[in-house]
Amino acid sequence: MQRRKRDPEGTRLAILEAAGSLLAKDGPEGLSVSQVAQLAGVNRGTAYQHFPTREQLLEATTAWMSERLRVAVFGGGNPEKGEMPNAQDVAEHMAEFAMENPELGRVWLFEVLSSNRPASDPFWNEYRAHFERFAQSDMAQPGIDAEVHSVMMLISTFLWPVFARAHARTAKERQAMAKRFSSEMLRLSLHGTMRPEKFPELNARITKQVGTAPAKKRSK
C-alpha cells in the first residue's frame, strides 16, 4: 500500500479553513482544536502539533482571514511604500469581500479591534498605513485622525452586510447592495476626507450617480 505523501502546509491550510468555518458559525467561544481537527479530517494529534493551544489556533486563523482580506482588497505581494492604491478599488473590493464573507469578516473585525496588538494584523497594518499616507498627502483635507477614520470605515463595512443580506436574496442583489455601500462611502469620503479638486473623475462620477439616483419616498 502506497503511503500518503506528507503535506504539512496543506494540512495547516485545511485546519485553518475548518477553524474559519467554525468561527463563522459559533464565534471564538465555540472554537476548539479537537472540533477543528474533526472538521478538517485530520488526526487530532496532528492538529495539536500545528496548534498546541486554542489561543494559538485562534491567532493563526485570524491572521489567515486577515491575509485573505488583504489580498482581496490590495492584491498580492508586498505593498510599495508611497504608492497610493485607487480609492474606488479599495472601497469596492472591501465591500464585496464583506458581503460575501459576512461572518468571517465580523469575527476578524472583533478580534482585531479587541486586540492590544492590532499592528500585527496584516490587513489592519496595510489599511491604516494606506490611510496614514493619504492623510499626510496634499489630496486629503487637513486634520484627519487616520486611526479613528480607519476604525469607522471598517465597522461600517463589516456591519452593512447584516442589513443588506436581510434585503437581498440573490448573489446579484447582494452585489448591488455592495455597490450601493461603496458608492456612498466614496461620496462621503469625497466630501469629508478628500479634496474633490484632486479627484475630478471620481467627483464627476459621484455627482452623476447622485443626480440619477431614484428618489426615496418619504413616509407621511
Side-chain angles (χ1 to χ4, degrees):
M1 184 177 175
Q2 191 175 4
R3 295 181 66 182
R4 182 185 289 181
K5 234 179 173 183
R6 290 191 65 204
D7 182 13
E9 281 304 310
T11 300
R12 187 176 189 275
L13 179 59
I15 293 170
L16 291 173
E17 288 176 343
S21 297
L22 285 176
L23 279 172
K25 180 173 173 282
D26 302 322
E29 297 77 14
L31 189 70
S32 76
V33 179
S34 298
Q35 281 182 308
V36 168
Q38 185 177 11
L39 183 61
V42 302
N43 183 280
R44 189 169 66 172
T46 302
Y48 276 106
Q49 283 179 356
H50 284 272
F51 305 104
T53 67
R54 175 186 172 282
E55 288 70 27
Q56 287 175 320
L57 176 59
L58 179 59
E59 185 176 341
T61 306
T62 303
W64 169 73
M65 291 189 290
S66 177
E67 181 60 19
R68 280 185 59 193
L69 176 57
R70 189 187 75 81
V71 171
V73 174
F74 293 106
N78 295 320
E80 295 181 18
K81 287 187 178 181
E83 184 180 346
M84 198 74 69
N86 183 285
Q88 182 179 337
D89 289 344
V90 170
E92 290 181 353
H93 293 164
M94 197 158 70
E96 287 167 5
F97 184 93
M99 191 65 70
E100 294 308 314
N101 303 273
E103 293 85 5
L104 276 179
R106 286 194 294 278
V107 169
W108 168 81
L109 181 65
F110 179 82
E111 290 301 317
V112 170
L113 295 185
S114 60
S115 169
N116 58 6
R117 295 184 299 110
S120 65
D121 183 87
F123 179 79
W124 166 259
N125 221 17
E126 186 162 346
Y127 185 74
R128 184 168 182 259
H130 152 66
F131 207 82
E132 286 276 11
R133 291 196 299 271
F134 168 73
Q136 292 166 11
S137 74
D138 65 352
M139 294 183 288
Q141 298 284 1
I144 297 171
D145 188 320
E147 186 171 61
V148 171
H149 189 83
S150 297
V151 170
M152 289 169 60
M153 294 285 282
L154 291 173
I155 289 174
S156 57
T157 298
F158 286 102
L159 285 184
W160 169 251
V162 176
F163 173 84
R165 282 183 164 250
H167 298 81
R169 300 189 179 187
T170 68
K172 187 175 180 180
E173 288 174 337
R174 289 196 296 272
Q175 189 176 26
M177 293 292 265
K179 188 75 173 174
R180 275 183 62 194
F181 178 83
S182 61
S183 293
E184 179 60 13
M185 292 303 279
L186 281 168
R187 189 188 68 79
L188 288 173
S189 295
L190 191 61
H191 297 286
T193 58
M194 297 175 174
R195 294 175 61 186
E197 68 274 14
K198 296 288 186 177
F199 301 88
E201 290 182 9
L202 182 59
N203 193 15
R205 174 176 167 267
I206 295 297
T207 302
K208 183 179 178 182
Q209 284 182 343
V210 172
T212 58
K216 300 280 185 182
K217 288 184 179 179
R218 294 187 179 181
S219 56
K220 292 180 180 180

